[in-house]
Amino acid sequence: MSAHEMRTYGNWRKPTSPGIGRLGLAGTLALFGGTILAIVVMFVSWIGAMAVGVLVGFSLVPLLMRDRHGRNGLQWATARVSWQRGKMRGEHLYRSGPLGRIDLGTCKLPGLSATSRLCEAQDAYGRPFALLTVPATNHHTVVLTCNADGASLVDDEQIDTWVAYWGQWLAGLGLEPGLVSASVTVEAAPDTGERLRQEVYGNIRPNAPDLARRVLADVVESYPRGSASLSTYIALTYSGAPRGSDVRRTSEKPLPFREFGVRFRWSGMKWVVVREG
């Protein structure tokens, strides 16, 4: 038996801004602009050129500083000033509803989702689902619920296959027309064991041996201890901008919305999904 070599997954590249070192694009442009300005001033006065160079150098120091989130000093200072201004105005507090501070007493979502709207649609099997629309950007988001398998009691070869399939799916998102973003959310919570209890007791036969009943009862009582319940959600956001000869697509107009091999059609007061092909 040959020992299985532990597979490591990598080739991840952190997105970086083009430019010289830590300056980034904006800092590099400022450096070139300051250099050109210093050269122009040098024809008039050496002292003025040196003063311009010192000012440009000091102005670029915040752009060289980076925190653990990758933000430079200018971005960090801007965020802090914006936070303090919003805090002084009370904008950091959110209270919706009839007694809230929202106009007309509505229960809107906070932040960037305040202008979003929720539309109801139906899939090819007639099951309703939600379509989240942001009119300001004309973006439409669909959330898919997934059941991710755990890695417990699974061979390493199977895990490598799952990772390869996941990478293939991510690569396919780059070819999906109209897709502007995709996000994966994994929620972990302590498992109460209720689902396992229903699954086991719902499948026990009346004539099952006593030993099997005792073993399953022990599993139901001991297995959920320390275990977690995982829920996986994938949010896919599409743009309603026109492509080619198509017109601009919105959630109010009866326009086809072709994604994932299906067509969304507005019928009456609801969306209807029709299979293509």
Side-chain angles (χ1 to χ4, degrees):
M1 296 291 293
S2 59
H4 179 74
E5 183 180 356
M6 181 63 67
R7 179 72 64 87
T8 57
Y9 308 101
N11 199 23
W12 308 106
R13 292 181 298 176
K14 185 178 180 180
T16 57
S17 177
I20 300 176
R22 294 186 176 183
L23 288 178
L25 180 59
T28 302
L29 294 178
L31 177 61
F32 286 161
T35 303
I36 295 175
L37 180 61
I39 294 174
V40 173
V41 176
M42 184 177 60
F43 289 100
V44 180
S45 171
W46 280 94
I47 299 178
M50 294 177 61
V52 171
V54 171
L55 291 177
V56 172
F58 277 108
S59 63
L60 293 179
V61 171
L63 300 179
L64 295 174
M65 302 170 57
R66 297 282 177 173
D67 58 5
R68 60 179 181 178
H69 303 290
R71 298 182 303 180
N72 56 38
L74 182 60
Q75 294 174 339
W76 179 86
T78 303
R80 296 296 298 179
V81 171
S82 300
W83 166 253
Q84 293 298 333
R85 290 182 58 185
K87 189 176 181 180
M88 294 176 58
R89 298 177 182 177
E91 297 177 351
H92 66 298
L93 301 176
Y94 178 77
R95 185 169 67 248
S96 63
L99 301 179
R101 305 173 61 180
I102 307 300
D103 297 338
L104 303 178
T106 57
C107 298
K108 294 183 178 180
L109 295 175
L112 300 176
S113 302
T115 59
S116 62
R117 293 182 300 179
L118 195 64
C119 303
E120 184 179 355
Q122 291 184 357
D123 60 7
Y125 297 96
R127 297 171 299 186
F129 70 95
L131 185 67
L132 187 62
T133 301
V134 181
T137 57
N138 196 20
H139 287 168
H140 311 273
T141 302
V142 178
V143 180
L144 308 177
T145 303
C146 304
N147 296 322
D149 295 329
S152 301
L153 302 178
V154 179
D155 296 335
D156 294 338
E157 291 79 4
Q158 182 63 43
I159 297 177
D160 295 339
T161 302
W162 287 345
V163 174
Y165 285 155
W166 172 249
Q168 184 179 2
W169 184 78
L170 291 178
L173 289 181
L175 303 177
E176 185 70 21
L179 184 68
V180 294
S181 67
S183 63
V184 179
T185 304
V186 179
E187 294 182 354
D191 194 355
T192 60
E194 186 62 28
R195 293 182 300 173
L196 178 62
R197 185 176 294 105
Q198 294 179 358
E199 181 69 19
V200 172
Y201 290 148
N203 292 278
I204 293 181
R205 294 185 179 182
N207 57 349
D210 293 338
L211 178 59
R213 288 176 177 271
R214 290 196 300 267
V215 171
L216 290 177
D218 183 68
V219 170
V220 170
E221 293 299 330
S222 61
Y223 185 79
R225 297 176 184 175
S227 60
S229 176
L230 299 179
S231 301
T232 306
Y233 304 96
I234 298 178
L236 302 177
T237 302
Y238 291 89
S239 175
R243 298 196 306 268
S245 60
D246 296 338
V247 296
R248 187 175 184 268
R249 299 168 295 178
T250 62
S251 59
E252 296 86 0
K253 298 180 180 180
L255 299 176
F257 195 88
R258 300 181 176 87
E259 308 293 351
F260 283 117
V262 298
R263 186 174 72 251
F264 293 79
R265 185 181 61 196
W266 185 261
S267 177
M269 296 300 295
K270 62 183 179 180
W271 284 93
V272 177
V273 180
V274 183
R275 291 282 185 182
E276 288 192 349

